[in-house]
Amino acid sequence: MRENYLTVKGYGESEIIISKSRFLTYIERAETEEDAITFIESIKKSHHNATHNCSAYIIGAHDHIQKANDDGEPSGTAGVPMLEVLKKQGLKDTVVVVTRYFGGIKLGGGGLIRAYGKATTEGLLAAQVVERKLHHIIKIAIDYTWLGKVENEIRSSSYTLEEIRYLEGVEIIVSVLKEQENLFRNWVTELTNGQAKITFEDVQFIEFVVK
């Protein structure tokens, strides 16, 4: 399983005007090629009367699925520069569609490349880029006499306290970055003089918006 990677938070859209042409950008997270194709088709259906609906997507842990479509624009002037923006920003599992309504002024090859690249960049700002970091969910089982100290220390740390379960004893659920798991275990063991029972519960991705 991959650990940390960049993608978009979710759906986003934007619009720019260049030489009287409207460029509408639509972006979404897509974890499969089927998801990407479905999204592209939905945008094309919504803008069936547009001059062009160009698209690009990049999917997979190792970016093994990459597609770009110029949809009638001169070859290499739309889909490829859109895909290059995704790659340059290091994004995964992302699909983008740029819909163009021609305004009567031709942009030329270089102008089109810049326009579609800019439209994609603006769309990403609207969708927001996030870093997904793999965390281990860890359970700390302790006696009630340790609750105050352990809870305060965790809340003051860089670890995230997810839940406290008040049972016969106390179970504190914490999310910890995978690479910090051993450090966390040692820290809790020292903090409780070895009185805590520490067990692995699950893994989950937690997302952080990239500024």
Side-chain angles (χ1 to χ4, degrees):
M1 178 183 287
R2 51 187 164 178
E3 296 182 12
N4 304 332
Y5 66 97
L6 298 175
T7 186
V8 289
K9 184 175 182 179
Y11 178 79
E13 61 179 73
S14 63
E15 177 178 350
I16 57 174
I17 307 293
I18 299 177
S19 299
K20 297 185 178 180
S21 281
R22 293 175 65 208
F23 292 85
L24 310 174
T25 305
Y26 302 93
I27 290 180
E28 181 62 281
R29 186 184 297 179
E31 297 183 350
T32 67
E33 188 167 23
E34 182 179 14
D35 289 342
I37 292 171
T38 298
F39 180 74
I40 293 167
E41 291 302 318
S42 70
I43 300 301
K44 291 174 72 173
K45 185 176 180 180
S46 298
H47 293 281
H48 59 88
N49 58 335
T51 316
H52 306 281
N53 286 293
C54 305
S55 60
Y57 53 85
I58 186 166
I59 296 170
H62 303 290
D63 307 331
H64 62 284
I65 301 175
Q66 299 183 28
K67 295 288 176 63
N69 191 313
D70 295 314
D71 194 41
E73 291 282 29
S75 180
T77 62
V80 170
M82 290 162 60
L83 181 61
E84 286 302 313
V85 171
L86 302 184
K87 291 167 67 175
K88 186 175 181 179
Q89 294 205 24
L91 299 177
K92 298 182 183 299
D93 297 347
T94 303
V95 56
V96 54
V97 180
V98 176
T99 297
R100 182 189 183 189
Y101 286 91
F102 183 55
I105 300 175
K106 292 185 177 181
L107 300 179
L112 287 171
I113 290 171
R114 289 189 293 274
Y116 280 99
K118 182 178 181 181
T120 302
T121 300
E122 291 294 321
L124 289 173
L125 290 174
Q128 292 191 296
V129 172
V130 295
E131 182 174 12
R132 304 193 79 211
K133 295 184 176 182
L134 188 65
H135 285 66
H136 278 188
I137 306 303
I138 295 176
K139 179 175 72 177
I140 306 168
I142 51 174
D143 184 82
Y144 275 92
T145 57
W146 289 100
L147 176 58
K149 179 180 181 179
V150 175
E151 179 182 357
N152 288 337
E153 290 292 336
I154 291 174
R155 291 190 186 279
S156 300
S157 73
S158 61
Y159 307 116
T160 303
L161 196 159
E162 300 286 352
E163 181 186 0
I164 298 178
R165 301 169 183 164
Y166 301 96
L167 307 169
E168 184 175 337
V170 185
E171 295 180 353
I172 301 178
I173 310 303
V174 184
S175 60
V176 180
L177 277 169
K178 183 182 177 184
E179 61 264 28
Q180 295 179 353
E181 182 182 352
N182 289 334
L183 183 66
F184 176 78
R185 287 176 180 273
N186 293 336
W187 179 69
V188 172
T189 298
E190 183 176 343
L191 184 65
T192 61
N193 295 329
Q195 298 302 302
K197 181 180 180 183
I198 304 167
T199 55
F200 170 81
E201 292 271 284
D202 200 359
V203 293
Q204 70 178 26
F205 279 103
I206 298 178
E207 299 181 358
F208 302 86
V209 174
V210 177
K211 303 297 184 182

